[in-house]
Amino acid sequence: MIIQKIVIILKTHKTASSTVLNMLYRFGEERNLRFALPLGYQLRYPLPFNAHRVKGYRGPRAMEFHIMGNHMRFNKPEVEKVMPADTFYFSIIRDPVALAESSFAYYKEVAPAFRKAKGLGDFVDDPNKYYDPRLCNNHYARNLLWFDFGMDNNANFSVELAQYGEAMIRQTFRLILVSQYFDESMILLRHALCWPLDAVVSFSLNARQQKSGSNSVMSGSWVGKAAMLPNLSLTDRQREKLRQWNALDWYLYKTFNRTFWEDIDKFGRAQMEQEVALLRMRREILGRVCLKDGGKPVEAYRIRDKNIRPFQSGVVKILGYELQMIRPEIQYKDLLDSKQFPRAVQPQLGQQGQGLLAAGGAFVRHDSSRTGEKMMMGEAEMERERDWDGSRIMKSNQTLKGVREKERLR
């Protein structure tokens, strides 16, 4: 087997992490890598991660896993029982105000603190009126990033505590991406992992409908839900109060957003602009070829195949795509599970050699003979494939090394 760089994404909530996980699913499936999959759909979340929640885990180093990425509350000692010492850890963060807006919409019927409030502004005006840290699922309402990184989201803010959390994250995580700059994040990620450009082409997953348009065609059940959409409007004063309420998350965001742009400066602003333009071009091309409805996400009820409709939570509508074939996060996890742990009879998923479009955006081929690839045998077993511009991507037993024929990208 050709082994790629071993990867973990800490899949933080409401940060576009589902889109990133789909890329990892797609990349690993194409290369027959082994996933550390949960027994269900999350790795014991919201409880701290435990190694025995990984399907097939039989003890430290008993089985090699290459990719881990389902929702977990980070617990490094337990993670290290599953993943090797040279694992590449990365995660993604989001502005706490935007994250709170998305969380309130998505988890309003799940988090008691949100369920009691008429709107997000109502919650922000007096959060202690609604928030009880003892109640299950209220972690969605305060310092959710801090919680996902495995720390106490109810701790009182202090500079010393915030700096300690920052140091703990930097000690483990090689790269922290920023969801507001998703395309730039994907370029940094692809170079950190030495992936070809098409590996990070994606379409947004788990996006919510912002509002019901006047020209939307909706069934009766959806009309009823549209009238119940939560009020997310905030004044500038409320936004500032929300940052104070999520002070630990706000510290993380400011700190790692600054680091993010320092990484881009090291990479080169001009080079970043060029690669982002190429990434968007590839996304547009694939969208025109493979997506219906002009490449725009649509309401779940409009997707004819019920098996690929995105999971719905609360009263907001989570959008999906009408494609020839698509694999949303939950359905994709089930497919990978069935491949890693096959039963006696497997359903036929498609004809050998046919391509399909995974939800992340690039083609997945069932056959092993991809254009531009050639197997080479020797002391260091390697495989060649082509990047978007024809340059060779060299894959070794632990990492990918991009080699341009005319010039080397930074």
Side-chain angles (χ1 to χ4, degrees):
M1 179 190 296
I2 305 300
I3 308 297
Q4 314 300 330
K5 181 175 286 189
I6 297 170
V7 176
I8 285 182
I9 174 176
L10 177 62
K11 190 176 183 290
T12 49
H13 285 77
K14 315 315 299 173
T15 59
S17 61
S18 290
T19 303
V20 181
L21 177 60
N22 188 270
M23 295 175 189
L24 297 181
Y25 278 169
R26 190 178 70 225
F27 186 89
E29 184 194 12
E30 284 188 296
R31 292 154 178 83
N32 296 316
L33 303 183
R34 181 175 292 277
F35 295 86
L37 297 172
L39 294 174
Y41 291 102
Q42 301 191 67
L43 291 163
R44 201 174 178 245
Y45 192 88
L47 296 175
F49 172 75
N50 183 285
H52 291 280
R53 299 301 296 176
V54 173
K55 191 169 183 177
Y57 175 75
R58 302 187 186 93
R61 292 173 294 281
M63 178 181 295
E64 185 176 45
F65 294 99
H66 306 123
I67 295 175
M68 176 186 282
N70 293 84
H71 277 308
M72 74 166 82
R73 188 178 184 197
F74 192 64
N75 182 6
K76 186 177 180 181
E78 288 293 309
V79 170
E80 289 177 332
K81 293 179 181 179
V82 181
M83 306 300 287
D86 61 348
T87 297
F88 182 93
Y89 291 77
F90 76 100
S91 190
I92 184 167
I93 62 172
R94 187 178 185 182
D95 182 335
V97 174
L99 189 152
E101 291 171 342
S102 182
S103 294
F104 188 87
Y106 197 81
Y107 299 115
K108 181 164 174 53
E109 300 305 311
V110 175
F114 289 157
R115 188 166 58 239
K116 297 175 184 177
K118 295 178 182 178
L120 181 56
D122 185 42
F123 172 81
V124 174
D125 284 339
D126 189 4
N128 288 308
K129 175 182 176 182
Y130 303 101
Y131 183 79
D132 184 342
R134 299 168 297 177
L135 296 182
C136 181
N137 291 329
N138 265 353
H139 67 280
Y140 291 118
R142 188 174 197 187
N143 290 315
L144 182 53
L145 291 173
W146 193 267
F147 181 89
D148 285 350
F149 276 102
M151 296 177 284
D152 181 7
N153 63 313
N154 293 304
N156 293 324
F157 178 86
S158 69
V159 174
E160 292 77 15
L161 176 62
Q163 290 176 341
Y164 171 80
E166 174 194 349
M168 293 297 291
I169 294 171
R170 290 191 187 278
Q171 183 179 359
T172 301
F173 290 84
R174 300 269 300 279
L175 183 63
I176 300 293
L177 309 176
V178 180
S179 67
Q180 283 91 333
Y181 308 103
F182 189 81
D183 290 345
E184 291 85 353
S185 293
M186 293 305 97
I187 298 304
L188 289 181
L189 179 64
R190 100 165 182 100
H191 281 276
L193 299 176
C194 299
W195 281 9
L197 182 67
D198 274 6
V200 296
V201 176
S202 66
F203 304 116
S204 177
L205 294 180
N206 284 356
R208 73 181 191 273
Q209 187 177 44
Q210 301 297 322
K211 60 182 179 179
S212 55
S214 58
N215 59 346
S216 297
V217 179
M218 305 177 72
S219 65
S221 61
W222 286 104
V223 171
K225 286 191 174 184
M228 298 166 55
L229 290 177
N231 182 4
L232 302 177
S233 59
L234 294 171
T235 65
D236 289 342
R237 181 186 64 83
Q238 288 172 329
R239 289 176 179 274
E240 183 55 37
K241 288 189 67 174
L242 195 53
R243 294 186 184 99
Q244 295 172 10
W245 174 249
N246 295 285
L248 292 167
D249 275 9
W250 180 235
Y251 178 91
L252 290 183
Y253 177 76
K254 289 189 298 181
T255 298
F256 287 104
N257 182 59
R258 182 169 59 251
T259 301
F260 176 82
W261 287 102
E262 289 172 357
D263 289 343
I264 288 180
D265 285 336
K266 293 175 185 176
F267 182 85
R269 295 278 180 127
Q271 184 68 42
M272 177 60 70
E273 290 177 4
Q274 177 186 347
E275 293 212 27
V276 165
L278 289 168
L279 176 64
R280 292 171 179 170
M281 178 187 70
R282 293 294 296 156
R283 181 186 297 131
E284 182 180 354
I285 291 171
L286 287 171
R288 287 200 307 265
V289 171
C290 305
L291 297 179
K292 298 181 181 179
D293 291 301
K296 297 179 180 178
V298 298
E299 296 94 332
Y301 79 91
R302 293 177 59 189
I303 300 175
R304 286 167 288 184
D305 186 347
K306 295 181 180 180
N307 293 322
I308 63 171
R309 291 177 178 176
F311 174 74
Q312 301 296 309
S313 174
V315 297
V316 293
K317 293 187 291 296
I318 306 303
L319 306 180
Y321 295 94
E322 180 77 299
L323 301 184
Q324 299 285 340
M325 183 176 288
I326 189 172
R327 294 174 183 169
E329 178 184 346
I330 290 176
Q331 292 90 329
Y332 209 159
K333 181 267 173 187
D334 286 339
L335 174 66
L336 295 172
D337 193 306
S338 68
K339 284 188 171 186
Q340 276 189 198
F341 305 97
R343 298 175 182 176
V345 179
Q346 286 290 334
Q348 189 69 27
L349 296 175
Q351 297 298 319
Q352 185 176 7
Q354 288 183 337
L356 59 90
L357 185 71
F363 283 105
V364 177
R365 295 181 173 86
H366 294 296
D367 61 316
S368 59
S369 56
R370 294 186 292 274
T371 303
E373 296 182 354
K374 182 181 180 181
M375 276 300 210
M376 299 172 62
M377 304 300 293
E379 281 187 15
E381 190 177 17
M382 308 182 88
E383 180 185 31
R384 290 184 182 180
E385 68 175 334
R386 299 287 179 177
D387 203 348
W388 61 272
D389 61 350
S391 61
R392 288 173 294 153
I393 300 292
M394 302 297 294
K395 305 178 194 175
S396 67
N397 64 335
Q398 285 297 327
T399 188
L400 297 173
K401 297 180 180 179
V403 181
R404 281 195 180 278
E405 293 177 347
K406 292 184 178 179
E407 63 179 293
R408 183 183 179 88
L409 281 177
R410 293 182 54 185

